[in-house]
Amino acid sequence: MTAIVELHDVTVAYGRRPVLWNVDLAIDEPCLYGIIGPNGAGKSTLVKAALGLVPLSGGSVRFFGRPLDDVRGRVGYVPQRESVDWDFPVSAIDVVLMGTFHRLSWFRRPGVRERDTAMACLDRVGLADVASRQIGGLSGGQQQRVFLARALAQEADVYFLDEPMAGVDAKSQERILRVLSELRDRGSLVVIVHHDLRTAASWFDRVALVDMRLVAAGATAEVLSRENLARTYSGHLDLLDEIGRAMQTGRRTR
Amino acid sequence: MMVWPMVVAAVVSAVCAVVGTMLVVRRMSLLGDAISHGVLPGIVVAVLAGGRPGGMLSTVGAVAAAMLTVWAAEAIRRRARLSEDAAAGVVFTTFFAAGVVLISLYASRVDLDPGCVLHGILELAAADTVPLLGVAVPRAVVNGLVALAVVTVFLAATWPAQLFAAFDADAARVVGVPVGFATTGLLAMTAVATVASFEAVGAVLVVAMLVVPAATAELLFRSLGRVMAAAVAIAVAAAVAGYLAAWRWNTTAAGMIAIVLGLCYLVAVLAAADGGVIPRLAGKGWLAWRVACEDVLAAAWRREEAGGNAAATPAGLLFRLAGSWLRLRGKVEGPTDRLALTDAGRGEAETIVRSHRLWEAWLGRNVELPVDHLHPPAEWVEHYLGADVRRRIEEEVGPASSDPHGREIPTERG
């Protein structure tokens, strides 16, 4: 059986200094796959290398046994939230529509079908009511969910998400995790870069532990020998957040 | 006054505004600057080879020089580890200087005026006409309209790619959207717009036309289509206004247009509904006023609770004004330093005190603070709590309880 994603002896260097050494990694079946490691371990670089966004100093990457160029529409990418300019003048639905762009030919604009798809995807992440809002006005968690909706609209078979849970409120985290699990259940592979060991243990089916090299990969329980369960939030943060925002705008809370 | 120079100015401004919008939202204004200067040697060489400014040959020369500028800047940035702005700065000034040197070397053979390079000469550009449907139309207008058509068709053909590449180039690249093509094309279109505007407004002031209308429109609108439409409208209006002003005071039209654009930007910075200076100040002032009114009401409520012999109405000009206003509205009555609540003002006052004491109770439960530290934060937060949050806080601290000082928390009024 050919692997969904296969990295063969991948090395990435910035200048001449390798930041990722000889990674050999194959993911065979649909699952929630965590790429775990400390800050600066090269997790994001590993994903970018797999997606051809940074040049490889050595090694090769295959998707479904073929080079990425042959299967581009089947692979989706959600970069780190900070990597884009959220003041960009587009609404949430416009961003989600971008997920359909690779299916459009020249001179074509997204039509009714694409709009319906985009709206359904926004609804799946619970943001149908902010569809026409400019993205800069959304909270961090909502922005991340807009990104996720764009990936859904692409209808890919493999998704790479870079730190989708970073700086995201508990409610958004839960929603994101649920949608990602649904994707897996429908047969997609979901690869998630994540830095928090406590939550990794409970979220992912399989993980790869990365620290400039591949330390270990496999079933989560085996790779992460100690389990720390996620601390439950008490809701105080929600309340303080809401009041803080009210104070910022000078208006009252609801 | 002549109409044609004004038309020339309006047309080239519109072309620049369309391209400029994409440059500005992609945070590539600097490249616009670099290209508008870098095209000069390309145009000069084309003119030396027999082309005319704004013609086909000089457009080709300009696009080639623009690509060379961008490529050289990128190469230097990579190899020399120079920052992007420094690399672009080094390259385009060198290219521009080369163009100026070429002009002075071959002054006799080049039909280019150094003044034309600096700020263009609208009247001169409008004087060179071609017959079109029996009317003598300035060549610059025809060139400008052709450039507008080329730019519009290109952007329309690649619009989804332009949008995706502008917002999130990495994700676009992964799914196979032609990001490189869209970007290179946009830079070529910048060169086309620049060369069409060159004769009319010069290589230096064209930067204003590329960047300022879009930067102004971006402050006012939140969708890319509207930003672009507004940028074109602002550019055309500024061209007309600037030309009229230049005619009135008998000075350079391009310079005047750029100044009008700058003023447009200033107005947008001051007045933009969302984050503009004036609305922000107004918002702050309104907030201070609301807080003062609510403090006066709450003080009166507390005095009523204490049997009339507690602290006076807060002193100070703002509070006196607030007191007068509340008296006018029939919410308080009595002497200015001892205002008493009317039946109309009591409900509002009670809500403020309720917010205050609920917050003290919530802080007392959830934050480790000595009891005498609870008043100041509550004095601050009381002005921001709405009915929904008050209810949630009450659910948490328990209904009909008292605040940490032992005073009763008023119940919510219907």
Side-chain angles (χ1 to χ4, degrees):
Chain A
M1 190 185 125
T2 52
I4 302 175
V5 186
E6 187 175 6
L7 277 71
H8 179 69
D9 197 20
V10 165
T11 297
V12 181
Y14 289 141
R16 271 192 298 272
R17 184 173 62 93
V19 290
L20 206 56
W21 296 77
N22 309 91
V23 173
D24 246 358
L25 179 67
I27 308 177
D28 298 321
E29 55 193 49
C31 61
L32 290 185
Y33 199 103
I35 308 272
I36 317 289
N39 283 329
K43 306 183 294 289
S44 297
T45 305
L46 177 64
V47 166
K48 285 184 180 168
L51 296 173
L53 295 172
V54 294
L56 304 184
S57 306
S60 61
V61 179
R62 308 221 121 207
F63 288 85
F64 309 100
R66 292 149 71 184
L68 178 60
D69 273 334
D70 293 357
V71 294
R72 284 209 179 262
R74 297 175 67 185
V75 180
Y77 174 49
V78 176
Q80 283 186 24
R81 189 159 53 86
E82 301 81 52
S83 70
V84 305
D85 172 14
W86 291 93
D87 287 330
F88 195 84
V90 287
S91 60
I93 189 82
D94 291 334
V95 173
V96 179
L97 272 171
M98 291 177 191
T100 67
F101 283 179
H102 66 285
R103 292 196 287 269
L104 300 176
S105 52
W106 285 60
F107 282 101
R108 276 282 317 278
R109 300 291 177 83
V112 178
R113 207 167 58 93
E114 281 81 12
R115 291 208 156 260
D116 288 349
T117 308
M119 205 59 207
C121 294
L122 259 186
D123 195 37
R124 262 173 89 187
V125 299
L127 291 180
D129 51 336
V130 298
S132 53
R133 197 97 70 79
Q134 197 264 332
I135 50 172
L138 304 176
S139 74
Q142 288 175 323
Q143 290 175 346
Q144 192 68 58
R145 283 189 276 159
V146 168
F147 254 9
L148 178 59
R150 182 182 70 188
L152 294 176
Q154 197 194 324
E155 293 165 356
D157 297 320
V158 189
Y159 292 99
F160 287 84
L161 298 91
D162 199 343
E163 294 280 6
M165 303 299 196
V168 162
D169 57 286
K171 193 177 129 217
S172 291
Q173 282 197 356
E174 189 192 317
R175 189 83 186 214
I176 291 169
L177 192 63
R178 197 166 77 218
V179 171
L180 294 179
S181 305
E182 284 168 20
L183 283 175
R184 172 212 36 212
D185 297 342
R186 289 177 198 180
S188 293
L189 168 63
V190 182
V191 181
I192 300 154
V193 171
H194 192 66
H195 72 275
D196 186 8
L197 277 171
R198 288 173 310 159
T199 44
S202 56
W203 286 350
F204 304 128
D205 306 319
R206 304 176 74 77
V207 295
L209 206 52
V210 177
D211 191 8
M212 303 209 38
R213 66 201 190 284
L214 186 64
V215 178
T220 307
E222 290 164 29
V223 175
L224 305 176
S225 43
R226 266 191 68 211
E227 267 188 27
N228 287 321
L229 285 174
R231 199 154 52 104
T232 26
Y233 287 88
S234 56
H236 294 165
L237 288 174
D238 266 356
L239 190 70
L240 290 175
D241 182 48
E242 193 172 335
I243 295 170
R245 252 184 294 143
M247 295 168 94
Q248 191 190 353
T249 55
R251 296 198 199 99
R252 268 184 230 286
T253 61
R254 276 189 298 121
Chain B
M1 185 192 72
M2 291 185 294
V3 173
W4 279 121
M6 199 160 75
V7 175
V8 172
V11 169
V12 300
S13 293
V15 184
C16 290
V18 170
V19 179
T21 299
M22 295 311 295
L23 293 176
V24 167
V25 298
R26 290 191 72 163
R27 307 286 177 249
M28 281 166 38
S29 313
L30 187 76
L31 271 184
D33 196 6
I35 287 176
S36 61
H37 285 77
V39 293
L40 186 60
I43 295 176
V44 177
V45 169
V47 170
L48 274 175
R52 60 169 75 247
M56 194 62 208
L57 193 58
S58 47
T59 303
V60 172
V63 171
M67 290 301 122
L68 202 61
T69 308
V70 174
W71 174 83
E74 180 62 19
I76 288 181
R77 189 182 67 80
R78 282 217 188 117
R79 303 274 140 63
R81 298 200 183 176
L82 218 52
S83 71
E84 196 178 345
D85 56 342
V90 168
V91 171
F92 82 71
T93 46
T94 309
F95 273 53
F96 187 67
V100 173
V101 167
L102 280 175
I103 290 179
S104 64
L105 273 180
Y106 299 100
S108 54
R109 284 169 55 200
V110 185
D111 183 22
L112 282 172
D113 193 308
C116 176
V117 173
L118 186 63
H119 52 67
I121 300 166
L122 265 177
E123 286 75 12
L124 212 66
D128 177 17
T129 60
V130 288
L132 201 72
L133 302 172
V135 186
V137 179
R139 201 183 292 276
V141 170
V142 178
N143 288 342
L145 288 174
V146 170
L148 186 60
V150 169
V151 166
T152 308
V153 168
F154 173 77
L155 287 181
T158 60
W159 186 252
Q162 292 291 349
L163 192 59
F164 206 166
F167 176 62
D168 189 350
D170 274 354
R173 219 169 265 136
V174 168
V175 296
V177 168
V179 174
F181 176 76
T183 307
T184 310
L186 177 62
L187 297 178
M189 290 304 121
T190 308
V192 168
T194 306
V195 87
S197 326
F198 179 78
E199 255 190 314
V201 298
V204 177
L205 287 176
V206 71
V207 183
M209 311 207 157
L210 283 171
V211 176
V212 185
T216 308
E218 208 193 17
L219 290 172
L220 302 175
F221 294 96
R222 293 282 166 273
S223 100
L224 188 52
R226 281 187 202 166
V227 170
M228 192 176 277
V232 172
I234 290 167
V236 171
V240 172
Y243 182 76
L244 291 177
W247 175 73
R248 166 72 180 72
W249 285 293
N250 192 24
T251 177
T252 157
M256 215 58 199
I257 292 169
I259 287 173
V260 171
L261 283 172
L263 291 176
C264 286
Y265 183 78
L266 184 66
V267 169
V269 167
L270 290 177
D274 179 13
V277 174
I278 290 171
R280 269 217 313 273
L281 279 180
K284 264 189 194 159
W286 166 242
L287 180 62
W289 178 251
R290 179 164 76 81
V291 166
C293 286
E294 291 179 356
D295 281 348
V296 169
L297 285 171
W301 196 92
R302 288 202 180 88
R303 200 162 45 251
E304 206 166 76
E305 182 191 41
N309 48 13
T313 301
L317 180 61
L318 189 61
F319 291 113
R320 288 183 62 140
L321 284 172
S324 306
W325 168 248
L326 289 168
R327 191 202 304 274
L328 208 65
R329 301 271 312 273
K331 292 184 176 175
V332 292
E333 58 193 8
T336 311
D337 60 337
R338 296 207 169 281
L339 289 169
L341 292 168
T342 64
D343 288 340
R346 191 162 292 113
E348 202 177 316
E350 199 165 293
T351 307
I352 304 300
V353 175
R354 174 174 154 78
S355 296
H356 182 100
R357 293 183 180 171
L358 275 173
W359 189 246
E360 285 186 331
W362 191 89
L363 281 181
R365 266 176 68 106
N366 293 296
V367 182
E368 299 280 327
L369 272 180
V371 172
D372 60 335
H373 281 48
L374 296 175
H375 180 74
E379 195 55 29
W380 179 37
V381 169
E382 64 183 8
H383 305 289
Y384 301 96
L385 301 185
D388 195 38
V389 162
R390 282 199 299 273
R391 188 185 46 70
R392 276 162 65 193
I393 294 173
E394 187 164 39
E395 271 168 21
E396 205 180 314
V397 301
S401 58
S402 51
D403 72 13
H405 307 291
R407 280 186 295 247
E408 192 191 333
I409 299 176
T411 49
E412 190 84 33
R413 290 199 171 198

